[in-house]
Structures are given as structure tokens and as C-alpha cells.
Amino acid sequence: MSAAPAREYSADALLRDGRSVMIRAIRPEDKERLLAHFHGLGPDSLRFRFLGAKKELTPADLRYFTELDFERHVGLVVSQRHDGGEEFIGVGRYVRGDDAHHARAAEFALAVTDPWQGRGVGTLLLEHLARVAAGAGIERFQADILEGNTRMLDVLAGLGFRVEERSRDGVVRAWFEIEPNPDALRASDERAWRAAAESVRALLHPRSVAVVGASRQPGTIGAALVANLVRHGFRGPIYPVNPKADTIEGLPAYPGVQAIGKPVDLGVIAVPAPAVEAAVADCASAGARGVVVISAGFAESSAAGRAAQGRLRDLVRASGMRMVGPNCMGVLNADPEVSLNATFAPTFPPAGNVAMLSQSGALGLAILDYARDLDIGLSTFVSVGNKADVSGNDLLAYWKEDPRTAVIALYLESFGNPRRFARWAPDVARKKPVVAVKSGRSAAGTRAASSHSAALACLDVAVDALFEQAGVIRTDTLEDMFDVVTLLATQPVPTGPRVGVVTNAGGPGILLADACEARGLTLPELTADTVAALRGFLPAAAGLKNPVDMIASASPEQFARTIEAVGADPNVDSLVVIYVPPMVTNAAEIAAAVARGAGTVPAPKPVLSVFLSTKGAPAALAGGPRGKLPSYSFPENAARALAAAERYGRWRARPRGDAVRLEPAARETARGIVERAMAGHEGDFWLEPADAEAVLRAAGIPLAASRIVPPDDAVAAADTLGYPLVAKAVSRRLLHKSDVGGVMLGLTTADEVKGAVRLLRGRVEAAGHPLEAVLLQRQVSGGLEALVGVVGDPTFGPLVVCGLGGVQVELLRDASFRMPPVTDLDAREMIDRLRLKALFDGYRGSAPADRPALESLIQRVSALVEALPELRELDLNPVKVLRPGEGVVVVDARVRVGTARPEVP
């Protein structure tokens, strides 16, 4: 590992109480801070850290602890801003073994000042040290720990790592594998969830609010913020901050936050951008837990603004606070016990069970207005703006356990940490539906790529893969998002795709049926008992098949009874009621009947309504035993919402699946090959074919028998391998061999091999490349050609790809993507998503293919990605998928690697 990534390591983290801290590499200039930290350790802490042998730090000690090489000796500190400076509250380090035998292990040590113990500082240090160490190829931490050091032993036990202990003379020799196994990763995520949720709670449940930039000038943001807090009844004290005013909205005004002289939980800042840093520092000095920065003029505006935003974020985190924004419209909590409207929006939505995030401030205004018009009740609303600190991940952690939130709606323009989102969102979605609109589809395009795998990928493909794996319901438009949210906020998740339809007009029923069928929903036949019951009270002209057409004259009583009968049918999982207002019926009376009838439908079945009227749905729809029923203006809207909810229900009901992990020996072999190949290289590069093959074989990936030889040795190597053979040109500068005719098939004699080498040399040299070697490979006959690979996305990290392979792969563009780790269920679904998946089952007389073997290969590739953070790109194309039971064989492979950087959460 290059020393630079570890030497420059810097990350933010949250303690158990939600306070933020900074974690960074220790530096030579930290000697005084380290000495102050040492003096902050109590007697027991000193004894436990130094096994009773250290009373003072000498100048030599300080040099040893701060002047590190970050190869063998790595040190991190946890710090907070204090009295205008930086205070170390925890220090951790590791020293790896000297020789090759011990280079995979390292001795670690931690020390946390007494006031900060028991708050998760040691756990954070060890987790971040492990991330750095894993990137350096270290596999095990070990330490000597006094038996009485129960805090350290508790830290190790709580991390979820596999820990072994030996005790001798009162000292425990502890060691553990630092690779983040599933238990350790889950434990880490649970700690991070709790900390993030607690930090967000301080923003959404403040006991007092200070508005910095409060104004008496009507029409200004500063005036609107104070007015909204007052008008909508915030339950705590409100402190306007304006040095030029005595009172604002009848409240005393203050020149600064510290001048308030009373506890302030939340600072809402609406001052010009150049004054924001001073305002945030004022809030920090006053002990605020969080700030909401409304002000614009930061990363969205210029490079200077981006730099200012970075300083702002560092200031907030170093001060132990959290920040929403900058460049946002504020936060809102509709809980009557809080009644916080810290936004400048002119509307305050009704209280309800929907939580909303908007990355766009302007769009947030429209979202709140639309939510009020649709009578969608909100629990909380957060406009995250530039997301310099608080992100969607933090809010998901809070909303996951928030008892007042049942549905989560997100409008996103970008991702901050998609890898964390991929780990957190599924746990949230298994409890509560998450509906998202992600803008930017049109901007995403195929990027210039050096492999087939990369050529198939684009940002929007990554978003789809992420959301599908995480169980997030993605909608194309805000209208669709509100349609889905309206359904899930008021009705249960469908347990199946079978839809019953009740209508008083045939045309809309047919439109709904078509829309349902196009989205994977079905309209089943009703049982004979249901049909008989309907025949007993509907007119002879009524259509009793599904959709049930009661005809235009249907009365309120007939609506209610038909809903009851169809809703009770065992072949129906959900019910849609359509009403077209004819002259002979009263819409309000029909709405009341629909609400009454919906109350008789079994609770697990959702009921939706479609009122085809410019006047919208009558208020009576909310008056039945089920409460408010979702209502749509057109049948297609209802079908789209119901189909999205049904897909989500299927995802939530499916098992989590199992991921493959490489065995320790395989990981060590693969890492050793890559590390040797990387010696002397700068940047990313393609492995030599022999090294690529060795890495893949170590991962258990089956490859066709082959040898790479100088061109003049090809005939002798061919006789050793046996025929038939394939000859392939090897040249570092040759991107795709097939582009220059660099692959010769069906070679069965030595003369044919000799002739093939001559042709390959001529073709490659004609393209301006030297023929460096020839790869001879046993020809694999038959089988379906597939592609399995990895592409590294700068935002999302590595993506595993599967598709139909061969030379037409980029022409067909029939591929699916997932983020690792890919479970067995994910791999199965990747193949199911291919348009040409029928080929695997034997299409029109063609031979079927070994799908389970391809699924296993996909998982093996995913496991290799997880084991090798240096892996940037992988192209297995073609992969011959043989007949069922015969497995798969990779006949061409390329592997691209680069310097691994420790993952920063």
C-alpha cells in the first residue's frame, strides 16, 4: 500500500450520543496535543494503555508516536474543537510485523481520555484502524491487554469480530481477524444507525431555536423563518438574532447566540454566505447541538464557495454539531408535541405518517404545497440542500425507528455515500417503504470504456441496481411518487398481484386492466360464489367478470355491496374502485358508499379508488372504517402505484439470500499476486494475462486450459496442450483482440498453429501493435456465450455485471448490474432481468444452459471484488455456459487493478 492514503486519512464519525468527532492521521506537529492527551489519562487508563510501565512521555516517545512512516507504523486520533483549538480525546495506532511471516499481523493500542470513555471513541478508533490496515493487506490485529481492562475487552467483544484470547500472568493476549465479516459489519452499522439517529433527533426535536439573520422586513427569509416558528406554534423558546433589532414578531432580539444566555439546541442561519462561518462558530460556542444553514453561495456557486463549504463542514463536525444544508429551505416536524416549522415555506402540511426529504429547496416548496393539497400528512420534512453534513443516510437511520413515520419519500439529485446507502436502506425498507425520485436520467450516458463491462455501465444503471437491491421504490416523476406514497401511507402492502376491479363504466375498467397487465399485475377470474352473489343484486345488464361493470346507474348501495363481495373473493389481493360521475348519481353519496364498502374488505387487502372528475375525490372517501382511501384521477395512475407497491411487497417477502466469501487461503493468494504485480506501477493498469489467470483461479473461477508463450514456441506448446485450440494475440496496447482479427479458432494441427501465428503477427502489426506473445487455449465447443464482469463507478464503487456475451455484447446491451456483495438471490435475479433470458432454457430447439453455474460464477466474481479492494475492472467475455450440469468456462479474461484506498464511511 502506498503511504499517502493512510498519511492523509481523514473521516467524520458520530459518538453514541450523536455528537460528531473528527478522525484523522496523526502528524509530527501534534506533539503538544498528544502530550495534553497523555496528561488527560487517569491512573487506570495509563496502566491499561502502557501495562503499568509509563509515567511520562519523553521527547523520544513523542517523536516515536507522531513521526510515523504510515507503512509499518500507523496512528489515528479522534478530536474535537475546544476553546478555538483541537483537543485529542482518543489515540490509536498499529505496528505491523517486520518480516514476511508476520507482515499480515499488527499490534494495536488505544487510549481514550477518561471523560470520553464509554461513549464509543475506542470502538470508532479500532474500526477506522482496521479499515486502514485492511487496505494495507493486514489481516489480523493483536494486543496484550490487562485482565482488569474490561472496557477494552468489551470494545473487542462488541465489534462483532471473531476474537480469541489467552491469559498469562494477568495479561490477555487478544487477536482477531480484521476483515469485516457479516457479523462485524452488521454490528458496525447498528452502532452507526443509532448514532446517526440520535444526531438527527437533536435537529428535529429541539427544545429551543435561535434564528440568526432574523428580520423585521416583510418578504425576507429571515422574517419568514421567525414568523413560521411563531405562527405554527413551536413548543419551545424562539430567539431571534439580529444586532440591529430590539424585538421581532413580538420576541426579544439578541445581538448573537452567545448573548442569549440560555440553552440553544438548534440554530437556523439565514445570513449572507461570508457571515455564515462566524454564525456557526457562535452557535458552537453557545453549545448548540445542530444548525440549519439556509444561506446559499457555497458549493453550488463556485470553487471558492466549495472551499467555504468544506471549512463550514469541518467547523461543524469539529464542534460536535450536525448541520443541514447549506443552501436549503429548512426542516419541519409536524408532531403536535414539537410543531417545528423552521422553513420559509408558506405552507404547513397536516400531521401524518410520511417523512420527506428534498435535495432541492425550490422543489421542496412545491412538495409541501402538493402534500397539503393532496392531504398527505407529514411526520417530518428535511430540505438537505448541498448535503455538506447531514445526508439521506442519516435521515434514513432516524426514520427507521421513528414511531410517527410509516412511509419515507426521497427526492434526490446525487448520492453522498451510496455504499452506505446500499447497506442501510434494505434494513429500513424491510420495515417501512422507501419511495424515491432520482433525477438525472437524461444526463447519464455510456462513458468511454476500456472493457465490455464498463461500456455497458452508466450512472443511471448504477442507481437502478442500487435501488432494486435495497428495496427502494423508484418512480420516474414526482406525480408517481405522490401516487405511490398516497397508497402506502393509507393502505397495507399488497400480498400478491391479483387485482379485483369494480366500476360503473366499462371503458375505464378496460384501461385499468390494460395498465395492470402491462406492469405485471393480473385480473383473475372471480369465484363462482362471488359471481352468484353479484348476480343476486346487480342488474341483468351488469358485467360480472373482472372488471365488474355495474353500469352507469349503479346506486350507492350497489357500490357498497359489490365492493364487499369482490373484496372478499379469495382470488383477489387488492381492489380498485372506479367511479365515472353520470347524471343519475351523487358523487358524495357514492364516495360515502365506497368508504363504507371498503371497511368490509379484509384488512390485508388494499383498496384504491379512481374518481374520474375534475372536482377530485369527495371528502367522504375519508369517512369510512378504513379511514382515508387513496384516490386517483385516472386508472393508469392507480395501476402504476399498485404495481410499484406489489413489487415492493414481493421484495420485502423474499429471503435476504446468502453471499459467497473467498476462503482465507484464496484471499491471501489473490492479494499476493496483485501486490507483486503492483510493485513499481503508478495508477491503474491491466494485469498481465498470466497474473490475471492466477488471480481468477485462486478465486475458484473456472478457466479454459491455456498457456502464454512467445510466438516462436507456439507449436511446441500446442502439442503439450492438445487440440483443438484457439490462438489469441497478446499485446499490451491491443484493447479488443477481435477488432483486428486477433483470435483464430479451430486449430487442429501444428501447421495450422504455425499459420495462425503468422497471420496474428501480420494483423496485429498492421494495427500498429507488436505481437508480444500468443495465448493458446483449448477450444471449448458449444455453450451459450455470456459476460460477467466488474466496472468501477467513481460514485458507487464496483458494480458486478452479467449479460449475454461475445462480440455483440455492446450491440445487444442486454445486461444487469448489482453492487457487491451479490447474494444467490441477486445473481438469480440478474439473469432473470436479461431480455434474452429464455436462451438459458433452450429457445426454439437450442440447447439449454447451466444457469446455476452462471449464478455461482457471478457470486465468485462478487466475492473477489470484496476481497480485492485494488480491483478496478474485470471482463470475463465470453463465458461459455455449457449444458445443465456441465458448468461454465471462462475463455477470455482481463483484470485491471489500482492502488486501494481505505474506505471512509
Side-chain angles (χ1 to χ4, degrees), residues 157-492:
L159 277 169
F161 291 105
R162 296 181 295 272
V163 180
E164 300 179 53
E165 300 174 6
R166 293 182 314 199
S167 179
R168 181 178 180 183
D169 298 329
V171 175
V172 173
R173 182 64 170 171
W175 67 91
F176 60 90
E177 303 295 326
I178 66 172
E179 183 190 8
N181 61 67
D183 289 340
L185 194 57
R186 193 173 302 112
S188 175
D189 279 342
E190 287 175 356
R191 285 189 296 275
W193 288 335
R194 290 192 295 269
E198 193 60 35
S199 71
V200 171
R201 195 180 314 279
L203 296 164
L204 294 178
H205 294 260
R207 292 164 297 182
S208 58
V209 177
V211 179
V212 184
S215 174
R216 291 178 296 192
Q217 183 67 37
T220 63
I221 289 177
L225 288 167
V226 179
N228 280 347
L229 285 166
V230 173
R231 183 181 306 119
H232 298 118
F234 174 62
R235 300 304 185 196
I238 303 167
Y239 303 115
V241 175
N242 184 330
K244 298 180 180 179
D246 296 324
T247 62
I248 297 176
E249 286 285 333
L251 301 170
Y254 299 86
V257 180
Q258 290 189 77
I260 295 171
K262 299 174 185 177
V264 173
D265 279 351
L266 179 66
V268 182
I269 298 173
V271 297
V276 169
E277 288 183 58
V280 170
D282 190 21
C283 290
S285 298
R289 290 294 305 274
V291 291
V292 176
V293 179
I294 308 292
S295 312
F298 291 91
E300 82 285 356
S301 61
S302 65
R306 189 176 302 110
Q309 181 170 302
R311 293 193 302 272
L312 194 61
R313 182 178 185 274
D314 290 345
L315 171 61
V316 166
R317 283 303 186 95
S319 302
M321 299 191 297
R322 298 304 308 270
M323 173 177 66
V324 174
N327 186 33
C328 73
M329 60 168 284
V331 300
L332 181 153
N333 187 343
D335 181 355
E337 297 299 317
V338 181
S339 199
L340 171 72
N341 186 3
T343 76
F344 54 85
T347 58
F348 191 72
N353 62 358
V354 177
M356 286 193 172
L357 173 154
S358 175
Q359 195 168 343
S360 164
L363 198 56
L365 294 169
I367 286 173
L368 289 179
D369 193 49
Y370 202 39
R372 185 190 62 179
D373 287 348
L374 293 175
D375 196 30
I376 295 176
L378 299 190
S379 60
T380 45
F381 170 88
V382 179
S383 166
V384 292
N386 292 0
K387 297 193 302 184
D389 180 27
V390 169
S391 69
N393 291 335
D394 297 306
L395 292 164
L396 283 178
Y398 169 78
W399 285 326
K400 176 187 175 188
E401 302 299 337
D402 179 28
R404 297 186 60 254
T405 295
V407 181
I408 299 166
L410 311 174
Y411 170 75
L412 301 173
E413 294 174 349
S414 64
F415 284 94
N417 189 333
R419 302 291 292 171
R420 173 171 283 187
F421 185 94
R423 295 201 309 270
W424 286 19
D427 285 279
V428 180
R430 290 190 183 278
K431 295 184 66 174
K432 302 174 181 182
V434 180
V435 187
V437 175
K438 169 65 177 70
S439 63
R441 282 189 187 270
S442 60
T446 302
R447 58 188 173 87
S450 54
S451 73
H452 298 291
S453 301
L456 293 170
C458 66
L459 179 62
D460 203 57
V461 161
V463 174
D464 276 338
L466 173 61
F467 283 172
E468 188 163 354
Q469 274 178 281
V472 174
I473 302 168
R474 185 178 190 181
T475 64
D476 292 329
T477 66
L478 283 172
E479 180 184 20
D480 287 345
M481 182 187 78
F482 276 106
D483 285 344
V484 176
V485 166
T486 300
L487 169 58
L488 293 172
T490 58
Q491 301 298 306

Side-chain angles (χ1 to χ4, degrees), residues 104 134-135 137 139 179-180 419 661-662 665-678 687 691-692 694-699 701 790 797-798 820 860-874 895-901:
R104 298 291 186 191
E139 298 175 351
E179 183 190 8
R419 302 291 292 171
R661 297 175 64 81
L662 292 191
R667 290 199 307 270
E668 186 169 354
T669 299
R671 289 193 66 88
I673 296 166
V674 170
E675 287 173 0
R676 285 194 299 274
M678 290 178 64
L687 289 179
D691 287 336
V695 167
L696 296 173
R697 290 194 186 282
I701 294 173
V790 174
R860 281 276 157 188
V861 168
S862 171
L864 183 61
V865 174
E866 294 283 282
L868 281 179
E870 298 89 352
L871 197 153
R872 293 288 181 270
E873 210 165 305
L874 172 66
V895 179
R896 188 163 168 255
V897 296
T899 303
R901 291 183 177 272

Side-chain angles (χ1 to χ4, degrees), residues 487-508:
L487 169 58
L488 293 172
T490 58
Q491 301 298 306
V493 176
T495 58
R498 303 171 301 173
V499 182
V501 181
V502 174
T503 178
N504 69 337

Side-chain angles (χ1 to χ4, degrees), residues 537-559:
F537 61 84
L538 290 179
L544 303 185
K545 292 185 177 181
N546 191 15
V548 176
D549 182 2
M550 300 176 295
I551 70 172
S553 61
S555 67
E557 183 61 24
Q558 286 170 331
F559 260 93

Side-chain angles (χ1 to χ4, degrees), residues 577-641:
V577 182
I578 303 175
Y579 172 71
V580 179
M583 297 295 292
V584 295
T585 57
N586 179 281
E589 292 178 356
I590 295 295
V594 170
R596 188 168 65 253
T600 66
V601 176
K605 300 182 180 183
V607 180
L608 296 73
S609 67
V610 177
F611 268 67
L612 284 160
S613 170
T614 57
K615 297 179 180 178
L621 273 180
R626 272 188 176 237
K628 181 184 175 183
L629 293 180
S631 185
Y632 301 92
S633 300
F634 298 101
E636 295 85 354
N637 297 65
R640 283 195 296 267

